[in-house]
Amino acid sequence: MSSNNNPYLLLTPGPLSTSHTVREAMLRDWCTWDDDYNLGVVQVIRSRLVRLATTSSGYTSVLMQGSGTAAVEATIGSVIPDTGKLLVINNGAYGARIAEIARYLNIPHTVLALKETEAPSPEVVNERLQRDQAITHVAMVHCETTTGMINPLEAVAGVVKQHGKIMIADAMSSFGGIPIDVDKLGIDYLISSANKCIQGVPGFGFVIAREEQLVQCKGIARSLSLDLYAQWRCMEDNHGKWRFTSPTHTVRAFYQALDELEKEGGIEARYQRYKNNQRYLVKGMSELGFNCLLSYKLHSPFITSFYSPEQKNYDFHCFYNALKEKGFVIYPGKVSDADCFRVGNIGEVYEQDIMALVHAVSESMYWK
Ligand SMILES: *Cc1c(COP(=O)(O)O)cnc(C)c1O
């Protein structure tokens, strides 16, 4: 098992099980004014992130302290002017969170509300954009971690581009785990964080931005510390310096995680590993009688929602604890109208771990 020092493997959507070497990279201190940190670590990360996101020029990246939501809030709050209007595509808790951010910040917005098990269709987005000409920006989650659904980013971004609008993608739980080219897809802002598919530890998020868009965002932000433009300007003008204290250890761990992603063979190789993990997970769990919430074609290769067993004496916490004792931590469900639990398969997780999990599940089905 690859979880080394850890008492159990995290089968969660992040923070996830990281490698020993990623955690080891945190064992020294850094000065936030020194070139060793800014030029040697931050700037390298920034350019590597852009290279992972596209082969085209014209993109830049900004790192932002906080959990992933802070990076989403920084983007939503900094790129939509008061004269603009945001369309939020919502088919889960993370889509709903984007709308909530817009509401908190008094940003004009409208929501395309879908069921949590319903994939957004490009036709409906097209119809909405035709009907509401005031819309200037569209935001959608790529992998809706609520259910594990992979939303049709390419098709939706294509429609948004046809209308000449700005596309914002919350690719928090997918970036680094599935090939994406932001330029080819027409994405202007892609948001993700350190502790998901890049397999770093929590502490900051990042935004891959089309530079010609970002340069127009001066003075829009509704928050001082979450001003995406100001953070970018500071990093550009001062060789990677963050405006306020940066999570230095986390950032250094992320640098190591990027090295390890490259060693694995890049995003394509990681995608294959995750896909393989998920295939074994669904196969093994199905053989034990568990049903998936979503049809297979809607699944992301990152996290899967399973219906809870219907037996009266099934209790999630008992099941959770039984699995934890055997070395696996799973995740509660988040779907509003179905009783589910979730199993993530991202992080330092391999086929043999999934096999061992399925075996542990088979021995923990006390309700049978
Ligand atoms: C993890 C995640 C986030 C950010 O969550 P935090 O708890 O703030 O890190 C945002 N969107 C999606 C789709 C996610 O999976």
Side-chain angles (χ1 to χ4, degrees), residues 75-137:
T75 308
I76 299 298
S78 305
V79 310
I80 304 153
D82 288 334
T83 52
K85 183 174 183 180
L86 173 68
L87 168 64
V88 182
I89 299 171
N90 174 6
N91 66 337
Y94 293 97
R97 190 175 296 175
I98 297 176
E100 195 179 9
I101 288 169
R103 191 169 59 76
Y104 259 73
L105 301 180
N106 282 318
I107 293 169
H109 67 285
T110 178
V111 179
L112 176 58
L114 303 162
K115 286 200 303 233
E116 286 170 331
T117 49
E118 186 182 359
S121 95
E123 292 77 23
V124 174
V125 176
N126 182 49
E127 190 268 328
R128 193 64 172 258
L129 288 171
Q130 245 154 20
R131 193 148 51 82
D132 189 346
Q133 300 284 331
I135 294 166
T136 53
H137 295 67

